[in-house]
Amino acid sequence: MISAVYPGSFDPMTLGHLDVIRRASKMFDHLTVSVLDNKAKNALFSVEERVSILEEATRELPNVEVDSFNGLLIDYARQKDIHISVRGLRAITDFEYELQIAQTNRKLSDGKLDTVFLTTSLEYAYLSSSSVKEIASFHGDISQCVPAFVAKLVYEKYGRIDE
Ligand code: ADP
């Protein structure tokens, strides 16, 4: 059985993340989407909220599990006996950063954790959690960026109650 982990901040999960999750879930027998509990980042949603959003969004994907972790990804992956990390590449600007993380993880894990990159579907290539938050903070339209139930939760954070 081949298992993989898709780690990230998911603050909040976007349609781009969901696209990567759907595609990765077809490639591996089991996919753990894991929210990084990064205290250094000032997150809009708590880890519990982010987990619950991901659970709701992946409800119809039976081989997808949602979890959270803190500390190093290689330690978490070792505990779960997972040897593949999935990451998304939107544009060349993601590449340098992602390459560095992937190389570091492979080195630190003595080759036990490798990274598989999925390129973004073009319609989501421009999407990022930060831009979703910025647009929503000015009460702009994020309906093309996140599922409807997530848009509602994001607007609630910024004091806009949508009908
Ligand atoms: P991090 O803070 O770890 O970068 P993110 O939640 O922003 O976490 O992203 C997690 C992963 O999802 C990263 O590999 C990122 O490149 C990828 N990703 C983010 N947005 C998209 C998108 N629109 N399409 C595909 N992949 C994406």
Side-chain angles (χ1 to χ4, degrees), residues 15 131-136 140-147 150-152 154-155 160:
L15 290 175
S131 61
V132 166
K133 286 182 277 194
E134 187 164 0
I135 297 166
D141 183 7
I142 55 167
S143 61
Q144 310 286 312
C145 310
V146 294
V150 179
K152 195 163 176 285
V154 176
Y155 286 137
R160 166 177 156 172

Side-chain angles (χ1 to χ4, degrees), residues 11-63:
D11 184 43
M13 180 208 76
T14 67
L15 290 175
H17 293 131
L18 196 52
D19 176 56
V20 169
I21 294 171
R22 287 212 176 97
R23 286 159 57 209
S25 74
K26 292 192 196 130
M27 294 174 173
F28 304 105
D29 299 303
H30 190 264
L31 179 70
T32 304
V33 182
S34 205
V35 176
L36 172 62
D37 185 2
N38 185 349
K39 302 271 190 282
K41 275 196 186 175
N42 206 349
L44 181 64
F45 289 94
S46 70
V47 172
E48 294 72 26
E49 289 171 322
R50 286 180 266 163
V51 165
S52 125
I53 288 173
L54 283 159
E55 278 173 350
E56 173 74 30
T58 59
R59 204 193 280 271
E60 86 286 10
L61 301 171
N63 63 335

Side-chain angles (χ1 to χ4, degrees), residues 67-105:
D67 193 17
S68 62
F69 73 106
N70 47 42
L72 290 178
L73 178 65
I74 55 156
D75 294 331
Y76 173 73
R78 189 184 333 104
Q79 278 160 25
K80 302 213 48 131
D81 200 23
I82 295 176
H83 304 283
I84 300 169
S85 165
V86 174
R87 296 286 287 177
L89 281 181
R90 282 163 293 193
I92 195 76
T93 41
D94 279 341
F95 183 75
E96 214 170 295
Y97 171 71
E98 293 292 343
L99 181 70
Q100 195 182 0
I101 301 178
Q103 305 281 29
T104 307
N105 283 339

